[in-house]
Amino acid sequence: MVSQAVDAFYINSGVVTTPPNVNATNFVNNGTISIFTSLPFSTSNTENFTNRGAMSGSVGWQLDHAPSGAGIRRAAAVFHNHPQGTVTSSDGFVIQGLTLSTTSQLLIGATNLINEGIMSVGELGLMSLRGTNVNLKRGGLQVAPFLGQGTSQNTNGTVFFPETAIIDNYAGIGTNNINTAAILTQVVVGNTTNYLAQGPTAFGTVAYPAISYVNITNRPPLNLTITNSTGQVTNMLLVTNWVVQGAFVAVSSTNVGTRARFYPSVTPTNLFQTITVELSTTINNPVTTQDDILTLYVSDRLTSATNTVISTNNTVQPRTYKPSAYMVSRLQPFEFVFGDAPNSVVTNDLLYKQNFTNAVAPARWVGYGFTADKLSGVQPVIPGGSITNIAGRIEINAGSLNLERTRFRSDGLVTVRSKHLYSSTNANMDAFNLNFDLGSTNGTLRMQSLAKQSVTRFGGDVQLWSGTWSNTQVLIITNNFAPDTNVPPNYVVSPITNIIIYDYHVMIMNADGIALPTPVTTFGFIARATNVFLGDSLRITNNFYTDAQRMTIEAPGGGIALSDGLQNLTTGNAPNLRYFTNNGNVTVPNEARFGYDPVANVPSYVTFVNRSNIFAAGIYARSTYFENAGYLSSGTILYVDTVSGRMENGSSDTGGDLNIKASDFKLRNYTNQTAGAVIFSITNTLYDNGSTGPNRIVCGDGFHAQIASGNGKPTSGDLLGTSLETAAPIFASIDHTWPGTDRGVSTAGYSNNLAVGRLVLSVGFDAELAFYGTGTSNAIYVDYLQFAGVGIDAVDTAIYTDPNIIIYFADSNLPAEQLDGKLGGHLRWVKSYAGAYSSVDLLVNGQVTKVNRALRQSLILDSDGDGLANGFDSSPFDPAVLSLSLASSSPLTLNLGWTAAANTIYKIEYVTNQTQTWQLLKNYTNNAASAAAASVTDVVPAGSPQRYYRVGYQP
């Protein structure tokens, strides 16, 4: 056995075009290597690769440590592509969709892998980078842009070989009568004239003004001699046949350009020409910083070819079809290269003239629909084949990975796996199929700039309709003819009839579906770290998993949207997660469960904080601390189970119930729309911020407040800044339960008693709102009670109160005096309470005082007993005029008298000098229905100093 010596260095500083035999520890390229090999080029026994020049290979490179003899390949020590270095792998030759050589490969394995330059593979290739320490900072990795290969079909058009990634959707051929006058419509908007073109089938519909291209030719004219009225003979050239061809193209994107060319038929006597339309766009390549020009060409040979048949796609199973008149290519066909530009413009009478012999003409037509796929390689049809098998892939497997300012471009799949992502700051990921498995060895993983919401690509759906027909136009030409003499008076008129034949070929292309923005799909996302910060927006379709304890979705671009096969977000996706903060967007098609699983016994979150948007069919959150300062949208239930929570400066919408279970919960500046019921199960405190942070809670199936383990109310707290809005649709009865303590007609009912700021009651036809207490004697105290669709006479039938509950209110949009006592005495007016929604400022005793608005505006009550109802009295709460008389001198007994207003509570107080605090003597209530004289006796203790008295009442 002969052993070959290993060289220390292989160094190239010139130009190499023949594959070298390299058996060296160090490989250095400073020049140019451009080689062709049947398999990826490889060296032997190389530990260190350095490239400062240009390495170009077809079909590519495999650069790692390979023994010259038998043995196992392993990672090299160092691979370093310097900033000026390029490593390029090109695809093998491809003919009509059949790969004759192999797809390009760039396979690099090194303990320390560094790329500061540009590395690329062909559109069908594979780039695989493997290393312990992989530093791709400021480098570029590219799968070459998708350019296509062209198309062809056999001589008779029965079989065609399609362009790569052109998917046939529809093919049709037919003949029928069409209304030619209806195909083209003029639309004038301001000073702009546009045209709408619509073919007789759905594949020809253009919904808005189309870009149009017109070509008009004519056959040789007819030479005709006529005689005018003076006897002079004139020669005329009469046109007998016109050939009119037009292409109407509609595109929705302003970044897609269109052009058309007309190329002569291969039959010289055929004046119809092949129409070829170009769709094109320019996309900047972030890796090369150059512009990539992407094109799509559609050629129409309906009239320039001899026949049209349905052609079979010979390269796919099951078979697909297209009309042989159409050819679709991504490469510029010769008909476009050598064709002529349009020679005319669209006019009102282009396709139909008023003096045509008929509007309806027999026509021959073809229709075709196809999709120009944006993916360069079609997924192979193999057992277990998936997105990971598609062509045009970049795969990175690293221990430690630096992607700071790394530039990517790919039409296939980019997979990034790393145990420790050092940085991805300012990376540019220009790819729309992604797969991530990322971790961090220091506990914190921050992912950013690795996924956009969309990238610019070229492709989409196109519909075509083409038709050809003929029409005729009759022209009458005056001709003077003299059969007997040449004397002018003897001439007679003999008109000449000239018939002009118009032959039409119209192509209508609806290219609205050629869209440039392409959504980015992340097929799998795995994040392995204690703390995960997600700054990218990911649409995840197959797999989502994190073992993080803390996960923060960052603003402004962070987000998770599950789709396709990934419908639920459960504790199985994040089994260790305890701290969740969303500052971005989360979208879940089905259920989103945060720290809650009714089947598995999983720990709850410590914190759940949403400051942006979460959308799901159902949202469940269980945490020690809960906060929603953003927007929660649930198609069914929104369930919150927490110890301490708040809904503040945010909103929520639910298609089902809003169910909040907590020890302490706060509402502030919050809005909730619920199609179902609103359920509060609060044990300690439920409160809001009063009118300074108003809340609006709208429920479609009633509201309920009770402790889950009993019928009591929260220990403390009120909702005096909250509007509760409930409605009963026609014929329905909607239940409500409330646990407030019945403290009678008293302001005491509005303190730590779950009192409500506004209660809005809407009742449909023959419906009712029913209220129940949670115990034997309960109440709901309301600052402002509003009825919608309910008059004063309908209150007793629209509202039902169980014997165990009373509704107390301070003001209403209906007359308070008339409401008081309705519902069988279960609707009571607390006129002494003046809350944020029931009060008005009034000057009383020289001081501005808040008084009950309904009491102030009452046209019945006379609070100060002066004979004027409050609503008519400019000073309805004047102080009582007190009289004092001696009833007895031993012991000293005084009578205090005044006029007491009806149903008013008075408080009589005294002091012995005016610097003391007033002391209560006694209370007095006038229960009469009108004002009456009131008298209170005070027995003054012996030896007592002088006394001062006052009488007051609460307006």
Side-chain angles (χ1 to χ4, degrees):
M1 179 178 179
V2 178
S3 177
Q4 181 179 358
V6 179
D7 296 328
F9 284 92
Y10 169 83
I11 301 175
N12 172 54
S13 297
V15 178
V16 175
T17 58
T18 301
N21 184 13
V22 178
N23 186 11
T25 303
N26 301 284
F27 175 97
V28 179
N29 177 52
N30 298 316
T32 299
I33 301 177
S34 180
I35 57 177
F36 292 87
T37 56
S38 59
L39 294 174
F41 176 82
S42 181
T43 66
S44 298
N45 296 308
T46 304
E47 290 288 353
N48 304 298
F49 294 90
T50 301
N51 179 49
R52 295 184 179 88
M55 298 171 59
S56 175
S58 178
V59 290
W61 309 86
Q62 185 170 6
L63 306 177
D64 53 14
H65 182 277
S68 55
I72 299 174
R73 303 183 79 109
R74 60 175 174 82
V78 176
F79 173 89
H80 190 174
N81 187 39
H82 286 260
Q84 67 273 31
T86 60
V87 182
T88 304
S89 298
S90 302
D91 292 328
F93 297 103
V94 179
I95 297 179
Q96 305 302 351
L98 303 176
T99 303
L100 299 185
S101 184
T102 57
T103 57
S104 54
Q105 297 181 57
L106 177 55
L107 313 175
I108 301 176
T111 301
N112 298 288
L113 195 161
I114 305 167
N115 176 53
E116 300 173 283
I118 294 177
M119 300 195 295
S120 66
V121 294
E123 63 186 57
L124 303 177
L126 168 64
M127 180 188 299
S128 175
L129 308 180
R130 297 172 291 108
T132 303
N133 303 301
V134 178
N135 186 351
L136 306 177
K137 182 178 180 180
R138 294 183 178 273
L141 307 177
Q142 172 183 236
V143 174
F146 184 20
L147 301 178
Q149 62 184 21
T151 182
S152 66
Q153 62 189 21
N154 61 0
T155 303
N156 58 16
T158 57
V159 174
F160 74 99
F161 300 90
E163 174 64 277
T164 305
I166 297 297
I167 303 168
D168 306 313
N169 298 326
Y170 165 84
I173 293 177
T175 58
N176 57 279
N177 294 331
I178 61 174
N179 183 0
T180 62
I183 293 179
L184 196 63
T185 305
Q186 184 187 62
V187 177
V188 179
V189 179
N191 297 323
T192 303
T193 300
N194 293 309
Y195 291 90
L196 301 180
Q198 178 171 323
T201 73
F203 287 89
T205 301
V206 176
Y208 47 83
I211 302 167
S212 53
Y213 304 92
V214 178
N215 198 69
I216 300 176
T217 59
N218 63 280
R219 290 183 172 86
L222 175 66
N223 192 350
L224 178 67
T225 300
I226 64 171
T227 305
N228 62 22
S229 59
T230 64
Q232 183 178 358
V233 176
T234 303
N235 291 324
M236 292 185 62
L237 294 177
L238 296 181
V239 176
T240 58
N241 293 87
W242 286 99
V243 176
V244 179
Q245 292 183 272
F248 298 89
V249 185
V251 290
S252 58
S253 175
T254 57
N255 293 319
V256 175
T258 65
R259 293 189 297 170
R261 293 292 183 267
F262 296 82
Y263 185 79
S265 170
V266 294
T267 304
T269 58
N270 185 356
L271 296 184
F272 281 110
Q273 303 188 43
T274 298
I275 303 174
T276 302
V277 172
E278 175 193 71
L279 303 174
S280 66
T281 192
T282 300
I283 301 175
N284 183 262
N285 187 321
V287 175
T288 65
T289 70
Q290 303 298 312
D291 287 337
D292 294 331
I293 300 176
L294 305 179
T295 55
L296 186 68
Y297 296 89
V298 177
S299 296
D300 179 2
R301 301 172 182 172
L302 175 63
T303 54
S304 62
T306 55
N307 66 322
T308 297
V309 297
I310 291 294
S311 186
T312 303
N313 187 333
N314 201 40
T315 63
V316 298
Q317 290 287 350
R319 299 297 186 201
T320 59
Y321 307 91
K322 75 168 183 64
S324 61
Y326 292 122
M327 297 294 285
V328 180
S329 175
R330 298 180 186 272
L331 303 180
Q332 199 174 72
F334 73 90
E335 291 97 338
F336 191 88
V337 176
F338 300 104
D340 294 327
N343 64 9
S344 187
V345 296
V346 178
T347 58
N348 286 336
D349 60 352
L350 177 68
L351 302 183
Y352 179 77
K353 303 180 186 303
Q354 293 300 320
N355 57 354
F356 272 179
T357 56
N358 54 282
V360 177
R364 183 164 57 95
W365 63 268
V366 291
Y368 179 44
F370 69 88
T371 300
D373 202 337
K374 300 174 183 178
L375 193 64
S376 60
V378 179
Q379 176 182 322
V381 183
I382 58 175
S386 67
I387 187 66
T388 59
N389 303 113
I390 66 171
R393 302 196 307 277
I394 297 175
E395 297 179 354
I396 300 172
N397 288 274
S400 176
L401 177 62
N402 188 351
L403 294 178
E404 184 177 344
R405 295 186 179 275
T406 304
R407 309 180 311 281
F408 293 83
R409 192 219 171 273
S410 173
D411 291 329
L413 175 67
V414 176
T415 296
V416 181
R417 297 185 179 94
S418 175
K419 295 181 180 179
H420 178 70
L421 178 63
Y422 176 78
S423 174
S424 62
T425 303
N426 295 319
N428 188 343
M429 180 67 76
D430 191 3
F432 56 90
N433 294 312
L434 305 173
N435 188 35
F436 297 105
D437 187 344
L438 304 174
S440 173
T441 57
N442 64 12
T444 298
L445 170 64
R446 187 177 299 274
M447 177 181 173
Q448 57 184 349
S449 304
L450 289 183
K452 303 175 183 178
Q453 289 188 305
S454 65
V455 296
T456 302
R457 288 297 185 271
F458 185 63
D461 294 334
V462 176
Q463 291 86 37
L464 295 160
W465 180 89
S466 296
T468 180
W469 67 93
S470 297
N471 221 320
T472 57
Q473 181 183 38
V474 178
L475 294 181
I476 305 298
I477 301 172
T478 301
N479 181 49
N480 297 292
F481 177 74
D484 299 322
T485 176
N486 290 328
V487 180
N490 294 324
Y491 281 98
V492 296
V493 177
S494 179
I496 297 175
T497 300
N498 181 49
I499 297 177
I500 303 176
I501 299 175
Y502 287 82
D503 294 320
Y504 289 99
H505 172 205
V506 171
M507 171 187 178
I508 299 175
M509 176 188 290
N510 187 347
D512 294 354
I514 297 294
L516 295 181
T518 299
V520 173
T521 298
T522 300
F523 290 89
F525 176 67
I526 299 175
R528 308 177 193 273
T530 304
N531 307 299
V532 172
F533 295 86
L534 180 59
D536 291 333
S537 180
L538 305 179
R539 186 174 73 91
I540 309 173
T541 61
N542 288 35
N543 181 37
F544 169 55
Y545 177 84
T546 180
D547 60 5
Q549 295 181 21
R550 296 176 181 265
M551 185 170 190
T552 301
I553 299 176
E554 297 185 299
I560 293 174
L562 307 186
S563 65
D564 297 349
L566 200 57
Q567 295 290 304
N568 296 289
L569 182 63
T570 69
T571 55
N573 298 112
N576 301 323
L577 196 60
R578 298 296 175 266
Y579 303 86
F580 176 78
T581 301
N582 176 44
N583 297 314
N585 294 286
V586 176
T587 301
V588 180
N590 204 349
E591 291 185 346
R593 295 183 177 272
F594 302 93
Y596 176 83
D597 192 324
V599 178
N601 185 22
V602 299
S604 67
Y605 287 0
V606 177
T607 62
F608 172 96
V609 177
N610 176 54
R611 297 193 180 102
S612 191
N613 303 304
I614 297 178
F615 305 87
I619 299 176
Y620 300 81
R622 188 176 67 170
S623 58
T624 303
Y625 174 77
F626 172 92
E627 177 184 327
N628 180 40
Y631 177 61
L632 297 174
S633 175
S634 172
T636 55
I637 190 172
L638 172 54
Y639 179 82
V640 178
D641 185 352
T642 186
V643 176
S644 176
R646 62 178 59 209
M647 290 178 165
E648 189 169 10
N649 298 318
S651 62
S652 52
D653 283 295
T654 64
D657 295 344
L658 169 63
N659 194 328
I660 300 176
K661 179 183 178 182
S663 175
D664 301 282
F665 206 86
K666 180 181 181 181
L667 296 169
R668 179 179 179 273
N669 195 27
Y670 195 84
T671 300
N672 177 80
Q673 297 272 353
T674 301
V678 174
I679 304 168
F680 296 107
S681 299
I682 313 298
T683 56
N684 191 23
T685 58
L686 174 60
Y687 64 106
D688 60 20
N689 220 57
S691 60
T692 60
N695 309 293
R696 182 171 181 249
I697 307 297
V698 181
C699 48
D701 193 22
F703 55 80
H704 309 270
Q706 62 186 47
I707 298 175
S709 59
N711 295 323
K713 69 173 184 63
T715 304
S716 62
D718 295 300
L719 299 175
L720 287 170
T722 300
S723 175
L724 278 178
E725 303 180 20
T726 181
I730 60 173
F731 306 122
S733 178
I734 303 298
D735 292 343
H736 309 75
T737 52
W738 206 252
T741 302
D742 187 355
R743 295 173 183 168
V745 183
S746 169
T747 58
Y750 289 88
S751 177
N752 287 325
N753 199 27
L754 216 57
V756 176
R758 292 180 183 270
L759 179 58
V760 181
L761 308 177
S762 300
V763 185
F765 175 75
D766 198 19
E768 71 171 7
L769 296 170
F771 291 85
Y772 300 86
T774 57
T776 58
S777 179
N778 296 105
I780 177 170
Y781 284 82
V782 180
D783 191 6
Y784 188 86
L785 181 63
Q786 180 176 334
F787 294 88
V790 178
I792 190 70
D793 296 331
V795 170
D796 285 323
T797 57
I799 310 298
Y800 168 79
T801 52
D802 194 75
N804 68 350
I805 193 167
I806 296 177
I807 300 175
Y808 294 95
F809 70 98
D811 195 8
S812 174
N813 64 324
L814 297 180
E817 304 97 326
Q818 298 180 49
L819 286 176
D820 193 17
K822 281 189 170 294
L823 305 179
H826 284 254
L827 185 60
R828 297 302 311 276
W829 178 27
V830 185
K831 60 178 177 291
S832 57
Y833 182 73
Y837 303 116
S838 63
S839 64
V840 64
D841 290 338
L842 190 68
L843 189 65
V844 178
N845 294 333
Q847 294 183 342
V848 176
T849 303
K850 290 189 178 298
V851 299
N852 185 284
R853 181 173 48 244
L855 179 62
R856 169 66 182 88
Q857 297 173 352
S858 174
L859 302 181
I860 298 175
L861 299 180
D862 177 15
S863 294
D864 58 6
D866 62 359
L868 286 175
N870 293 349
F872 300 111
D873 193 343
S874 60
S875 301
F877 305 113
D878 286 338
V881 178
L882 188 63
S883 63
L884 184 65
S885 61
L886 181 64
S888 173
S889 57
S890 181
L892 180 61
T893 304
L894 301 175
N895 284 329
L896 289 83
W898 72 95
T899 301
N903 296 309
T904 302
I905 300 174
Y906 290 86
K907 182 166 60 175
I908 300 92
E909 299 172 300
Y910 74 94
V911 292
T912 57
N913 65 70
Q914 296 185 9
T915 62
Q916 290 181 331
T917 301
W918 288 93
Q919 302 294 315
L920 177 67
L921 179 63
K922 61 180 60 179
N923 291 317
Y924 177 88
T925 302
N926 177 20
N927 293 318
S930 59
S935 178
V936 171
T937 299
D938 181 24
V939 177
V940 180
S944 175
Q946 75 269 12
R947 286 194 172 191
Y948 300 89
Y949 296 92
R950 71 178 184 182
V951 175
Y953 61 94
Q954 175 64 44

